[in-house]
Every structure is written in structure tokens, then in C-alpha cells.
Amino acid sequence: MTEQSLPFGYELGEDHALLRDNIREFARTVVAPGAIERDVKGEFPADIVRQLGEMGYMGICFPEEYGGSGMDALASAIVVEELSWADASVGVINSVQNSLVIDPILKFASDEQKQAWLPKMATGQWLNCFSLSEHGSGSDAGAMKCRAELKGDEWHINGTKMWVTNGAEADAILLFVRTEPGDKRNSTCILVEKTTPGLTVGKHEDKLGIRGSSTVELIFENCRVPAWNTVGQRGQGLKIGLTAIDGGRLGIAAQAVGIAQAALDRSVSYALERKQFGKPIADFQAIQWKIADMAVRIAASRALLYKGCWLKGLNKHSLHIPAMAKLFAAETASFCANQAIQIFGGMGYCREGEVERYLRDAKITEIYEGTSEMQRMTIGETLSHDPARVAATEK
Ligand SMILES: Cc1cc2nc3c(=O)[nH]c(=O)nc-3n(C[C@H](O)[C@H](O)[C@H](O)COP(=O)(O)OP(=O)(O)OC[C@H]3O[C@@H](n4cnc5c(N)ncnc54)[C@H](O)[C@@H]3O)c2cc1C
């Protein structure tokens, strides 16, 4: 598959359509059946992640020379959307692996590092996590306190990271640490293997949604990591982290589109089945309008998402399009999940109706990888202060 097999249109090319059909089949037959049970139990889908690795979906976006699938950003978005339709937890596990870790390694790591790490990541032998946030630094990522000191040829890392998706199960952590005390912008990106002494997994968050994905604290106590594991240049950490999140926004937009589409599909089926006043509720205009509003927003979200993927495939770095895609898709997911509950009535409010999960899962897409407020800031600032960048991506 070539980088640009997608024209920016509304019909997928043959390769992407085939990929969508394959991953959809897997999502609906293998992922969907246990999704509710995993949500109730807060259970990580280890077996599904293993199968995704074996099928090449855990390293979808990088070159075949490193054992990857050699596909593009659109392929990655299609995979995350289809998985999230079935289970948004599986969607984010996949998105973190591909967008937040593999992507920056491809961009910033040395050839030797890529040779050493990427084949394990491509096959899913290594599950990855991305660790930037701390208790005191979320939106303001530069305020991080976790620090590393270079002693000889080793980093000595001390501090606590928070909210790490995949953190409990991951084999490799893309970690961001302060390396020059007092200089807010000076941080460094280091790949840490989970088995490194001095690293422990702390608190597991008990969450509202995406309960099948783990979210944990990582504690570093004099954790010693070879200086060789530095990704990019010393002092480049924040740049690498924020670049990764720019790409990761497309993954979260895809997750949100998947949740929204699932809410719509369930709503249409239920509206045709459920009868009140002697006819299916789908015959009432009030219900049809809800379905129409959901469908319009999903189509618009997907169009923005595909545009972001298309730009990424062309190596045109856009800040505002991925931000727009994530913002609009996240709000669409919450909107659609809310509408689905309304269409299901009392059944929608109960677990038995199996749609309340969509609302709980949708909410996180408005928070992680940049809150909706931060997306609006990015869009507003780019449009106001960076017209050249906007023009380059709007041709
Ligand atoms: C389930 C889950 C998984 C996560 N996974 C990861 C992960 O894998 N790796 C990782 O590093 N992090 C992860 N995070 C952290 C996540 O990215 C942060 O929660 C998010 O960036 C917001 O930071 P915060 O929670 O500190 O909120 P804050 O930054 O404290 O924001 C609180 C509120 O203030 C608003 N706000 C803040 N600054 C501004 C401003 N300048 N202007 C206007 N409004 C503002 C925010 O929009 C928000 O509404 C995860 C979080 C959760 C809940």
C-alpha cells in the first residue's frame, strides 16, 4: 500500500476498503462480544491485543523493513475507528501504540534504535505506552517535575507519572522527563523498558469509561537507563511529546467516530424495533431528527479526520486540522451517545440497554491528548497567528 493510495474523497480506495472490511469483521466477531463484560470488570483485553499484534495491526503505520505493515495514517484511523465501534478501550490501546509511540520513534529515533525497537513493536511483542502527564502537569505539559540526571552513560530517573494508558501491561515506555532543573522547556524523551529496576507501577485508576484499558501511575526511584535510549536530542523532549500528540489527535478522532457510529447504528435498530402508540418509534419525526443530527455530525467528523490523515500522508504538518478533527469528533461522540440514550428511553439509562457505555467512553475523547479547550486554543491561535501554515494545508 502506498502512502497516497487515498485521494481525499468520500470513497475509500481498494486497499483501504479491504482493510476496513477485514478489521470490521474482526472487531464485530472477536472484539464486540466481550466488550460489555470487560467494561463491567475493568479487564484488559490481553488476548485481543495479542491477536492484533499477530495480524500486524499493532504496527500498522511503519515501513515493512522494520516488520511493520507499511500502511498510512488513514489505514491507522480506519483500524482505530472499527475497533472503537466494538470497544473504545481496544481502540485507544491500538492508537497509543501506533500514534503516540511508534510514530515519534520513526520521526526522532536513530537508525540503530529503530532496528532494535521497531520490529518488537510491529509484531505486538512489545506493547507501548506514552508517559508525559503528571499530577501537576496535564494541559501544561512543560510543568513536569519527573527528572533525569545523566551520570556517566546512564540516566538516573526519579519522579512519578500519572494517567498512563497501557502503563500496567506495556513493555516499553516513551517517557518525558525534565533534564535541566529550572528550565521549563528543557525536557528529554527516553525509552524505558518495563523490566528496568527502579520502575514500579503504582495506582490503577478506577474510571468512568474505557474501563478495559488500564490507566496507571508509574513510579521511578533511581531508575537507571542507558543514555543510548535517549530519543532525539537531549532537551528536545517537549517538542517530541507535542509532535506525537498532534498525530495522536487523529487517533482519538477515529476513536470518537467509532463510538459515535456505534451509537447511531444501535439507535436506528432500536428505533425500528421499539413500538409505542402502535408504531415503531422510528416513525416519529422527533426520533428521525435525532438520527439525522447524529448522522450529519458523524459524516462531518469523518471528513475532517480523513483530511487530517491525507495531510499526514503528504507530510504536511498541520496543527489546526487534527485539532479540528479531534474537537468535532469528540463532541460528536458525546452528542451521539447522549442521543442514543434518549432514543432508548429508560432502557438507555440502564446497563441492560447496552448504550450507556458509549456516553461513558465518549467523554474521555474530550479530555485526553488535549482537552477540547486546548484544541480550541490551538485552532484559534493557528488561524490568528499562523496564516502561512493554514494556507499550506488548505490548498
Ligand atoms: C483515562 C485517561 C488516560 C490518559 N492517558 C494518558 C497517557 O497515556 N499518557 C499521558 O501522558 N497522559 C494521559 N492522560 C492525561 C491527559 O492527557 C490529561 O488528563 C489531559 O491532558 C488534561 O490534563 P489535566 O487532567 O491535568 O487537566 P488540566 O490541565 O488541569 O485542565 C483542567 C481544566 O482546565 C482547562 N484548562 C487548562 N489549561 C487551560 C487553558 N490554558 N485555557 C483554557 N482552559 C484550560 C482544561 O481544558 C480542563 O477543562 C490520560 C488521562 C485520562 C483521564
Side-chain angles (χ1 to χ4, degrees):
M1 185 178 292
T2 61
E3 273 289 295
Q4 278 309 300
S5 57
L6 169 78
F8 178 53
Y10 296 97
E11 203 167 309
L12 295 177
E14 211 178 300
D15 291 342
H16 289 99
L18 182 64
L19 169 77
R20 183 202 51 206
D21 294 348
N22 290 340
I23 190 69
R24 183 172 287 178
E25 169 78 10
F26 179 77
R28 295 183 185 201
T29 56
V30 179
V31 181
I36 290 166
E37 195 182 339
R38 290 190 297 273
D39 169 61
V40 172
K41 293 184 179 165
E43 192 176 279
F44 185 82
D47 193 45
I48 289 170
V49 173
R50 182 189 54 73
Q51 291 181 62
L52 286 169
E54 284 168 4
M55 292 184 296
Y57 293 123
M58 295 307 281
I60 196 141
C61 240
F62 67 90
E64 289 168 23
E65 60 179 298
Y66 297 116
S69 302
M71 298 187 194
D72 60 8
L74 179 69
S76 191
I78 289 169
V79 169
V80 175
E81 179 188 332
E82 293 299 330
L83 292 174
S84 301
W85 184 96
D87 183 345
S89 296
V90 178
V92 72
I93 292 166
N94 182 274
S95 182
V96 167
Q97 173 92 356
N98 283 297
S99 320
L100 284 186
V101 181
I102 289 176
D103 222 35
I105 285 180
L106 270 177
K107 278 198 189 91
F108 296 100
S110 68
D111 281 348
E112 294 74 26
Q113 289 172 327
K114 287 182 200 168
Q115 295 291 351
W117 299 331
L118 286 177
K120 294 182 203 157
M121 295 176 178
T123 52
Q125 189 190 332
W126 266 11
L127 182 67
N128 303 327
C129 66
F130 173 93
S131 183
L132 177 66
S133 302
E134 297 178 11
H135 190 265
S137 70
S139 303
D140 182 11
M144 70 179 82
K145 289 208 165 78
C146 185
R147 63 194 176 83
E149 268 179 86
L150 194 58
K151 294 187 180 169
D153 57 0
E154 280 182 337
W155 288 110
H156 290 215
I157 306 172
N158 284 286
T160 300
K161 290 286 181 180
M162 238 183 120
W163 294 310
V164 187
T165 302
N166 295 350
E169 298 78 14
D171 303 280
I173 300 140
L174 198 65
L175 177 72
F176 298 85
V177 281
R178 173 163 318 293
T179 40
E180 301 299 333
D183 180 352
K184 187 172 167 170
R185 309 306 294 179
N186 204 323
S187 59
T188 298
C189 176
I190 304 169
L191 187 125
V192 182
E193 291 191 39
K194 185 61 147 316
T195 48
T196 313
L199 165 57
T200 48
V201 175
K203 184 170 64 133
H204 287 240
E205 300 297 341
D206 187 9
K207 306 192 295 285
L208 176 72
I210 55 161
R211 292 174 50 79
S213 80
S214 70
T215 311
V216 298
E217 212 177 39
L218 293 178
I219 302 163
F220 297 85
E221 289 167 307
N222 210 23
C223 176
R224 290 154 64 159
V225 178
W228 187 83
N229 285 28
T230 309
V231 177
Q233 303 299 313
R234 179 177 177 161
Q236 228 189 356
L238 209 53
K239 177 182 167 190
I240 297 174
L242 297 181
T243 307
I245 289 176
D246 283 345
R249 285 176 183 155
L250 295 174
I252 302 308
Q255 184 193 27
V257 172
I259 298 168
Q261 185 69 54
L264 173 62
D265 293 349
R266 293 291 314 282
S267 297
V268 172
S269 304
Y270 188 78
L272 290 167
E273 215 174 81
R274 173 74 174 166
K275 288 200 172 114
Q276 289 292 282
F277 301 97
K279 49 180 163 176
I281 61 169
D283 287 358
F284 301 130
Q285 192 180 51
I287 301 296
Q288 287 180 7
W289 283 17
K290 289 187 200 312
I291 287 169
D293 286 345
M294 292 161 87
V296 170
R297 289 175 203 216
I298 293 169
S301 300
R302 198 178 280 115
L304 270 173
L305 168 63
Y306 283 13
K307 172 146 188 179
C309 294
W310 177 69
L311 288 170
K312 196 168 174 205
L314 292 174
N315 279 326
K316 285 192 178 186
H317 183 234
S318 166
L319 281 175
H320 68 294
I321 300 289
M324 283 180 178
K326 182 188 182 274
L327 172 66
F328 194 69
E331 293 185 351
T332 293
S334 291
F335 173 83
C336 292
N338 220 339
Q339 296 301 316
I341 293 175
Q342 197 65 21
I343 290 171
F344 272 65
M347 192 55 89
Y349 197 70
C350 301
R351 273 192 190 268
E352 191 188 341
E354 298 182 1
V355 287
E356 51 79 43
R357 173 171 64 102
Y358 299 137
L359 186 59
R360 292 186 289 103
D361 285 351
K363 187 63 200 168
I364 189 61
T365 66
E366 296 182 63
I367 296 172
Y368 58 17
E369 298 199 33
T371 61
S372 291
E373 290 79 5
M374 298 309 286
Q375 307 307 328
R376 285 190 164 86
M377 272 174 57
T378 301
I379 297 162
E381 276 173 17
T382 310
L383 291 177
S384 324
H385 300 305
D386 202 352
R389 186 194 289 275
V390 176
T393 53
E394 295 298 339
K395 276 182 216 159

Coordinates of all heavy atoms in Angstrom, one line a residue, residues 55 81 86 103 118 211 242-243 260 279 294 300-301 325 334 349 365 377:
M55 N -1.7 -10.1 13.7 CA -2.3 -9.7 12.4 C -1.6 -8.5 11.8 O -2.0 -8.0 10.7 CB -3.8 -9.5 12.5 CG -4.5 -10.7 12.8 SD -6.3 -10.5 12.8 CE -6.5 -9.4 14.2
E81 N -11.0 3.3 14.3 CA -12.5 3.5 14.2 C -13.2 2.2 14.4 O -14.2 2.1 15.2 CB -12.9 4.2 12.9 CG -14.4 4.4 12.9 CD -15.0 4.9 11.6 OE1 -14.3 5.7 10.8 OE2 -16.2 4.6 11.3
A86 N -16.5 -1.3 18.3 CA -16.8 -2.5 19.1 C -16.5 -2.3 20.5 O -17.2 -2.7 21.4 CB -16.0 -3.7 18.5
D103 N 5.1 6.3 16.0 CA 5.2 7.4 15.1 C 6.4 8.3 15.5 O 7.3 8.6 14.7 CB 3.9 8.2 15.1 CG 3.5 8.7 13.8 OD1 3.8 8.0 12.8 OD2 3.0 9.8 13.7
L118 N 11.8 -1.3 16.8 CA 10.6 -1.3 16.0 C 10.1 -2.7 15.7 O 8.8 -2.9 15.7 CB 10.7 -0.5 14.7 CG 10.7 1.1 14.9 CD1 11.0 1.8 13.6 CD2 9.4 1.5 15.5
R211 N -13.0 1.3 30.4 CA -12.6 0.6 31.5 C -11.8 -0.6 31.2 O -11.2 -1.2 32.1 CB -13.8 0.3 32.4 CG -14.5 1.5 33.0 CD -15.8 1.2 33.7 NE -15.7 0.1 34.6 CZ -15.1 0.1 35.8 NH1 -14.7 1.3 36.3 NH2 -15.0 -1.0 36.6
L242 N 4.9 16.8 22.1 CA 3.8 17.6 21.5 C 3.6 17.2 20.0 O 2.4 17.2 19.5 CB 4.0 19.1 21.7 CG 4.1 19.5 23.1 CD1 4.3 21.0 23.3 CD2 2.8 19.1 23.9
T243 N 4.7 16.9 19.3 CA 4.5 16.4 17.9 C 3.7 15.1 17.9 O 2.8 14.8 17.1 CB 5.9 16.2 17.3 OG1 6.6 17.4 17.4 CG2 5.8 15.8 15.8
A260 N -19.3 7.1 18.1 CA -20.5 7.8 17.6 C -21.2 6.9 16.6 O -22.5 6.8 16.6 CB -20.1 9.1 16.9
K279 N -46.9 2.0 16.7 CA -45.9 2.0 15.6 C -44.5 2.1 16.1 O -44.2 2.6 17.2 CB -46.3 3.1 14.6 CG -46.5 4.5 15.1 CD -46.8 5.4 13.9 CE -47.5 6.6 14.4 NZ -47.7 7.6 13.3
M294 N -27.4 13.0 14.3 CA -26.2 12.1 14.6 C -25.5 11.8 13.3 O -24.2 12.0 13.2 CB -26.7 10.8 15.2 CG -27.3 11.0 16.6 SD -28.3 9.5 17.1 CE -27.1 8.5 17.8
A300 N -19.5 14.6 9.0 CA -18.6 15.7 9.0 C -17.3 15.4 9.8 O -16.2 15.8 9.4 CB -19.3 16.9 9.6
S301 N -17.5 14.6 10.9 CA -16.3 14.3 11.7 C -15.4 13.4 10.9 O -14.1 13.6 10.9 CB -16.7 13.4 12.9 OG -17.6 14.2 13.8
A325 N -10.4 18.0 13.9 CA -11.0 16.7 13.7 C -11.2 16.1 15.1 O -12.3 15.5 15.4 CB -10.0 15.8 13.0
S334 N -19.9 12.4 22.1 CA -20.7 12.6 23.3 C -22.2 12.9 22.9 O -23.1 12.4 23.5 CB -20.1 13.8 24.2 OG -18.9 13.4 24.7
Y349 N -30.9 4.2 29.9 CA -30.3 4.6 31.1 C -29.7 3.4 31.9 O -29.0 3.6 32.9 CB -31.3 5.4 32.0 CG -30.7 6.2 33.1 CD1 -29.9 7.4 32.7 CD2 -30.9 5.9 34.4 CE1 -29.4 8.1 33.7 CE2 -30.3 6.6 35.4 CZ -29.5 7.8 35.1 OH -28.9 8.5 36.0
T365 N -12.8 11.3 25.2 CA -12.2 11.8 24.0 C -12.2 13.3 24.0 O -11.5 14.0 23.2 CB -12.9 11.3 22.7 OG1 -14.3 11.8 22.7 CG2 -13.0 9.8 22.6
M377 N -8.0 26.4 21.6 CA -6.9 27.3 21.6 C -6.0 27.1 20.4 O -5.5 28.1 19.8 CB -6.1 27.1 22.9 CG -6.6 27.9 24.1 SD -5.8 27.5 25.6 CE -4.1 27.9 25.2

